[in-house]
């Protein structure tokens, strides 16, 4: 048992974490809250050094500095478009750390302490799953490997065998806590993690990040139980709850169940369509025509997608919107919950371009407005305005709530090519007679549009 | 009340607090929420330090130090990147004020 003052210190840290999450309810308080959370973490580490008086102090401090420098450099350098893979990576190393802590703690668990042994086994296997799963997610998002679902005959059998093996080994570990069984369990966990994420593809990958985040949280909570450390228990549980809730919100935003996302490809269906391109006629226009449409509209809604961010065109888009607003056009941004590559990602990308967050409207809020809208400008988005989600039961994205861009008077797509979006399915709206396509890189097209609108 | 029941109680209550707090987070901030929550579970660093500090054999110390490095990357990286994101969410008014200072 550690000293009372240290326990109280840990309680203060735990409160800091809760307040940090609570502060995220508004963009105004969020940053201060995050700093408070960081302060809570520093406090917790200081208390640990003083209260536990660890041996090997110098190597531990060196390891701390290496980790801190690595983490800080990584997160300073990352581009905002690459945020999902960074979160996946950080999540993975956290899960890995938890699994290692539980492995080391295995020597301390005595046979007979059933609950502690169960918690240890849980931490080892789920931590390992989280680690290897996150690394595969990272590789997919960074496009180090294909983003399409990877399956092979026998994968479901192997996966189930892995799960059963993990359960059996956990049972063994509980009845007889030996380190080598723990190591074996860890290896099985790593394999299960890889098999869990491999068949997930396309737009579903970000949901897996959120799920693995919840896994790591629960792992840390279980680790807290093993060590009898209340701070780890509280912090881990908070993250577990956050991750679970977010996973559900995200799955709802795509109109799919978490089960379907994880095992859809194994059973034959997934969000990835055939990826074919048809040669039906479309109406394409020049920047001048589109500029006139925009400049003489009364109400314009912008639908930004990941393609906008890839082209780094957010700043140009904001300038265009400002010019239009200067002409008296009412302009809003419609943000689909899964625009970008993770929930809320588009908000971050637009905030980076200094778009005021009160101009960003959520899907449910803006959907009734499309009927009374003159022009919808879709920049680098596709699946989130695809009416197939509503009309075509056979479409892989059927059931996903979409932005009702098809209800507007005119729709303009800024597109690089006719290649389908992230989900790989064709969009009927592109062939609609009210739709105009402006081909080209989003940044080039927006720059031309901006120049043209200024002269109208 | 035994210690394990006390820990179980804390677990259940923390789960309720977690759900309650997170369901109020604005969807605008879901990405920072994910990375902020991610940073918080980096607190496993505390566990890594405790276990490494009690280790006797060289092998266990090395594994422990690896855990310390991984957990620190998670914690420091998580908080820094969340701060970077949230900094961008300040309104233009706040930014101007800072320029004038």
């Amino acid at each position: 048992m550690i000293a009372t003052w240290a326990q109280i210190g840990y309680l203060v840290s735990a409160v800091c974490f809760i307040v940090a999450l609570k502060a995220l309810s508004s963009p105004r308080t969020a940053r201060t809250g995050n700093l408070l959370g960081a302060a809570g973490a520093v406090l917790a580490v200081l208390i640990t050094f003083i209260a536990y008086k660890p041996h090997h102090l110098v190597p531990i401090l060196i390891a701390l500095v290496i980790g801190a420098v690595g983490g800080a450099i990584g997160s300073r350098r990352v581009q905002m478009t690459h945020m999902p893979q960074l979160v996946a990576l950080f999540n993975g190393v956290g899960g890995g750390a938890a699994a290692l802590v539980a492995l080391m703690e295995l020597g301390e668990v005595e046979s007979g302490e059933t609950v502690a042994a169960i918690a240890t086994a849980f931490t080892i296997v789920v931590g390992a799953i989280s680690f290897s799963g996150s690394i595969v997610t990272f590789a997919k998002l960074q496009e180090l490997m294909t983003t399409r679902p990877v399956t092979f005959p026998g994968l479901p059998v192997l996966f189930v065998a892995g799960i059963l093996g993990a359960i059996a080994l956990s049972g063994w570990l509980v009845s007889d806590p030996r380190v080598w069984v723990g190591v074996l369990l860890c290896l099985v966990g790593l394999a299960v993690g890889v098999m869990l994420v491999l068949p997930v593809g396309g737009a579903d990958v970000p949901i897996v990040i959120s799920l693995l985040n919840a896994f790591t949280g629960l792992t840390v909570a279980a680790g807290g139980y093993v060590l009898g450390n209340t701070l780890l228990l509280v912090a881990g549980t908070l993250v577990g709850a956050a991750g679970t809730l977010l996973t559900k919100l995200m799955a709802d935003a795509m109109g799919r169940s978490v089960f379907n996302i994880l095992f859809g490809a194994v059973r034959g269906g997934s969000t990835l369509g055939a990826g074919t391109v048809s040669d039906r006629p479309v109406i394409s226009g020049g920047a001048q025509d589109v500029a006139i449409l925009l400049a003489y509209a009364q109400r314009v809604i912008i639908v930004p997608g990941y393609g906008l961010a890839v082209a780094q065109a957010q700043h140009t888009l904001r300038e265009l919107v400002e010019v239009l607003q200067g002409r008296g056009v009412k302009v809003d941004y419609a943000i689909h919950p899964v625009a970008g590559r993770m929930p809320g990602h588009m908000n971050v990308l637009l905030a980076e371009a200094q778009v005021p967050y009160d101009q960003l409207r959520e899907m449910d809020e803006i959907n009734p407005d499309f009927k009374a809208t003159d022009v919808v400008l879709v920049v680098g988005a596709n699946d989130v305005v695809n009416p197939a989600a509503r009309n075509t039961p056979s479409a892989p994205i059927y059931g996903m709530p979409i932005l009702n861009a098809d209800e507007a008077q005119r729709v303009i797509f800024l597109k690089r090519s006719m290649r389908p979006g992230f989900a790989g399915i064709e969009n009927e709206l592109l062939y609609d007679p009210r739709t105009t396509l402006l081909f080209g890189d989003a940044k080039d097209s927006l720059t031309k549009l901006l120049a043209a609108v200024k002269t109208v | 009340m035994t210690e394990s029941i006390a820990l179980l109680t804390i677990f259940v209550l923390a789960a309720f607090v977690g759900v309650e707090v997170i369901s109020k987070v604005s969807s605008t901030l879901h990405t920072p929420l994910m990375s902020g929550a991610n940073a918080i579970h980096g607190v496993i660093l505390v566990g890594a330090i405790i276990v490494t500090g009690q280790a006797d054999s060289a092998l266990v110390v090395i594994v422990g130090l690896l855990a310390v490095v991984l957990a620190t990357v998670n914690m420091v990286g998580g908080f820094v990147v969340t701060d970077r994101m949230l900094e961008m969410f300040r309104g233009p008014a706040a930014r101007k004020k800072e320029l004038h200072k």
Side-chain angles (χ1 to χ4, degrees), chain A residues 413-435:
Chain A
F413 275 91
L414 300 192
K415 275 182 81 66
R416 193 179 263 284
S417 68
M418 284 302 286
R419 247 189 65 199
F422 203 33
I425 43 172
E426 253 198 290
N427 190 344
E428 277 304 315
L429 192 56
L430 294 175
Y431 306 100
D432 193 289
R434 292 167 301 158
T435 300

Side-chain angles (χ1 to χ4, degrees), chain A residues 129-362:
Chain A
I129 290 175
S130 192
F131 176 75
S132 62
S134 298
I135 299 301
V136 176
T137 313
F138 172 80
K140 284 195 177 212
L141 288 167
Q142 192 70 29
E143 295 181 7
L144 298 174
M145 60 180 286
T146 171
T147 54
R148 301 181 69 88
V150 178
T151 54
F152 50 86
L155 178 72
V157 179
L158 214 56
F159 183 72
V160 172
I163 300 263
L164 292 178
I167 294 172
L169 284 171
S170 303
W172 188 349
L173 204 62
V174 171
S175 64
D176 183 14
R178 284 172 190 276
V179 175
W180 68 268
V181 181
V183 173
L184 206 58
L185 182 62
C186 187
L187 294 176
V188 172
L190 290 174
V192 170
V194 172
M195 288 189 284
L196 181 74
V197 182
L198 272 185
V200 180
D204 293 340
V205 174
I207 299 194
V208 175
I209 303 176
S210 176
L211 188 69
L212 292 174
N213 202 7
F215 278 10
T216 307
L218 292 177
T219 311
V220 172
Y225 184 90
V226 177
L227 294 169
N229 187 301
T230 47
L231 176 64
L232 294 190
L233 185 61
V234 172
T237 311
L238 284 176
V239 180
T244 311
L245 203 71
L246 219 79
T247 309
K248 197 185 165 303
L249 283 176
M250 219 167 150
D252 288 351
M254 301 181 67
R256 312 185 64 214
S257 73
V258 176
F259 185 85
N260 230 329
I261 286 160
L262 287 178
F263 304 114
V266 175
R267 292 189 316 175
S270 85
T271 47
L272 271 184
T276 49
V277 182
S278 84
D279 46 10
R280 281 189 290 161
V282 292
I283 305 164
S284 67
Q288 198 64 37
D289 314 327
V290 174
I292 289 170
L293 275 179
L294 288 171
Y296 290 102
Q298 291 186 335
R299 178 107 165 86
V300 171
I301 294 179
I302 314 263
V303 178
Y306 188 67
L308 172 78
V310 170
Q312 289 294 315
Q314 303 98 301
H315 288 275
T316 321
L317 178 64
R318 181 186 44 105
E319 282 180 55
L320 176 68
V321 169
E322 281 168 4
V323 171
L324 289 175
Q325 283 169 336
R327 293 182 61 104
V329 184
K330 182 165 163 40
V331 190
D332 284 308
Y333 296 82
I335 310 292
H336 191 275
V338 292
R341 291 275 153 104
M342 67 197 285
H345 193 196
M346 189 48 65
N347 301 84
V348 173
L349 296 171
L350 291 175
E352 190 188 15
Q354 301 177 14
V355 174
Y357 53 81
D358 49 12
Q359 285 177 17
L360 310 180
R361 311 267 305 272
E362 287 172 35

Side-chain angles (χ1 to χ4, degrees), chain A residues 367-443:
Chain A
N367 255 347
D369 290 15
F370 280 99
K371 276 196 195 82
T373 298
D374 301 306
V375 183
V376 173
L377 181 65
V378 184
V379 191
N382 190 359
D383 300 328
V384 295
V385 293
N386 191 341
R390 235 188 278 130
N391 310 328
T392 319
S394 63
I397 58 166
Y398 183 68
M400 175 171 104
I402 55 163
L403 292 163
N404 299 333
D406 53 333
E407 290 178 356
Q409 301 293 318
R410 300 294 296 260
V411 182
I412 299 163
F413 275 91
L414 300 192
K415 275 182 81 66
R416 193 179 263 284
S417 68
M418 284 302 286
R419 247 189 65 199
F422 203 33
I425 43 172
E426 253 198 290
N427 190 344
E428 277 304 315
L429 192 56
L430 294 175
Y431 306 100
D432 193 289
R434 292 167 301 158
T435 300
T436 307
L437 278 79
L438 181 55
F439 285 111
D441 174 76
K443 190 161 188 175

Side-chain angles (χ1 to χ4, degrees), chain A residues 63-154:
Chain A
L64 256 176
V65 171
I66 294 173
V69 170
I73 289 179
S75 48
R76 279 273 153 222
R77 293 224 175 128
V78 68
Q79 288 170 11
M80 286 298 148
T81 40
H82 290 169
M83 192 55 61
Q85 39 276 54
L86 189 75
V87 172
L89 195 64
F90 285 163
N91 183 51
V93 294
L100 292 180
V101 168
L103 267 181
M104 293 192 293
E105 193 58 17
L106 208 51
E108 308 288 315
V109 177
E110 286 160 29
S111 36
E113 288 180 65
T114 316
V115 184
I118 293 174
T120 311
F122 178 85
T123 310
I124 292 172
V125 70
V126 180
I129 290 175
S130 192
F131 176 75
S132 62
S134 298
I135 299 301
V136 176
T137 313
F138 172 80
K140 284 195 177 212
L141 288 167
Q142 192 70 29
E143 295 181 7
L144 298 174
M145 60 180 286
T146 171
T147 54
R148 301 181 69 88
V150 178
T151 54
F152 50 86

Side-chain angles (χ1 to χ4, degrees), chain B residues 64-99:
Chain B
L65 291 176
L66 181 62
V68 171
V69 173
L70 294 182
T72 317
V73 168
N74 182 186
M75 193 172 95
V76 174
F79 280 116
V80 171
V81 83
T82 310
D83 185 62
R84 248 188 86 189
M85 275 189 271
L86 292 174
E87 187 189 2
M88 302 183 306
F89 274 97
R90 291 174 310 160
R95 236 185 241 115
K96 267 186 208 131
K97 212 187 279 171
E98 202 149 284
L99 283 179

